[in-house]
Structure formats: structure tokens, C-alpha cells
Amino acid sequence: MKKLILAIAFIGMGSFAMAQQTNTTPQEREAKRAEFQQKRAQKEQEHIDQMQKDLNLNQSQVAQIKALQEKRKAEMKAEFDKNKEVRQARMEEMKAKRAQMDADMKKILTPTQYDKWQADRQAKMEQRRVAMKDRGMKGGKMMKKPMTTAAPEAN
């Protein structure tokens, strides 16, 4: 019985601790960003080294592959920047629709019902946020799908 009560208490405390939000300063965000970029560069270098070992690449080939990867990164960044305005416009449009729905719901519901609806909506949003975090992150690292080498299907 004691073990059950302790287990419930630990789960409750763990849930409470996970629900706490941390406010990070801009300096902390910059430090995390720099750390992430450093780790990404290290992984890219490890990938190149592994390719060099597996494929027996010479230095010229390694240099060409690095240049190709840098070109691809620059293209992806340009594409991301190009689509930034479109994403921003969509977000603004969705905010306007959400505000309109709130106004319409406020007209339909009583003040008590509206407050309860808002609270329920906030709780569901928090649940989704936690679920997304749990799905995308595990142990502080992004989860990767295992790479499989499937043979092409014969028809």
C-alpha cells in the first residue's frame, strides 16, 4: 500500500514538475542555438567522415561533397526565407478567424459557459503541446526514424 501511495505521489510530482514552464532569457536562447549549430556541424562532419570511410573517397571527392552540401543548405535557407511572408500571412489569417470565432461564441454562450469553454480549450491546447513535445523529443534529442534499405519491389 505504501508503495502504491509513493508511486502516485511521485507521478503527481513529476506531472507537476513537467507542467512548470521555464522562461528563458535571450542569452540562454542564443547559447542553446549556438550549441545546436555546433552539434549539427559535428554531425555533418561525422557523416562526411563515415562516407569517406565507407565509400573510400579521396580528398577531392570529400571537398566536392562538402561544397554540394553547403550549396543545398543555402538553397534550403533561401526557400525558407522566401516562404516566410506566406507563413506569416497564414498565421495572421488564422488569428483573425480564431478571434472571430471567440466573438461569435461569446454572443452565443452565457458568461459562465464561455469561461468554461475557454478553460477547456486552454487545457486541450496544453495537452496537445505536451503531446507534440513528447512525440518530437525524447531525452532532449530529436528522435530519428531508422533508415531502412528496402529492395525495390518486383512487379
Side-chain angles (χ1 to χ4, degrees):
M1 186 68 170
K2 286 183 181 179
K3 289 181 182 178
L4 179 63
I5 292 172
L6 282 174
I8 292 172
F10 281 126
I11 291 172
M13 288 189 320
S15 299
F16 180 73
M18 291 174 77
Q20 299 297 319
Q21 294 197 2
T22 58
N23 294 330
T24 57
T25 64
Q27 293 85 5
E28 290 172 335
R29 274 185 251 136
E30 276 301 314
K32 284 182 181 182
R33 182 185 308 265
E35 181 182 350
F36 175 76
Q37 289 173 343
Q38 183 181 7
K39 284 181 181 179
R40 186 176 61 192
Q42 182 180 358
K43 284 184 185 273
E44 289 172 359
Q45 184 59 45
E46 289 171 0
H47 184 250
I48 291 283
D49 293 344
Q50 189 65 40
M51 283 178 63
Q52 184 176 12
K53 179 182 165 190
D54 292 346
L55 302 174
N56 196 24
L57 302 174
N58 61 38
Q59 291 302 317
S60 172
Q61 290 171 316
V62 170
Q64 290 174 349
I65 290 172
K66 283 183 180 180
L68 182 64
Q69 287 179 339
E70 289 300 319
K71 178 183 172 191
R72 177 72 178 131
K73 271 200 286 189
E75 289 172 353
M76 289 175 66
K77 183 173 178 7
E79 188 70 25
F80 181 82
D81 291 343
K82 184 176 87 174
N83 292 329
K84 192 172 188 175
E85 293 93 25
V86 174
R87 283 192 314 275
Q88 213 48 20
R90 265 194 218 129
M91 265 189 353
E92 293 301 322
E93 182 181 336
M94 291 303 291
K95 282 182 184 179
K97 286 181 180 180
R98 192 177 310 120
Q100 183 60 47
M101 182 175 176
D102 280 355
D104 291 344
M105 288 296 282
K106 200 168 194 172
K107 291 176 187 174
I108 296 169
L109 301 174
T110 66
T112 309
Q113 291 171 327
Y114 180 77
D115 291 342
K116 184 173 181 348
W117 177 72
Q118 285 284 66
D120 289 345
R121 197 165 78 162
Q122 288 293 331
K124 286 177 185 174
M125 192 179 341
E126 185 60 32
Q127 286 175 345
R128 275 188 246 123
R129 188 176 294 134
V130 169
M132 285 173 52
K133 186 175 182 182
D134 289 346
R135 244 191 329 242
M137 302 289 284
K138 184 164 181 133
K141 296 181 180 177
M142 289 296 291
M143 293 177 57
K144 293 183 180 177
K145 290 183 181 178
M147 292 183 63
T148 57
T149 53
E153 293 181 21
N155 289 335

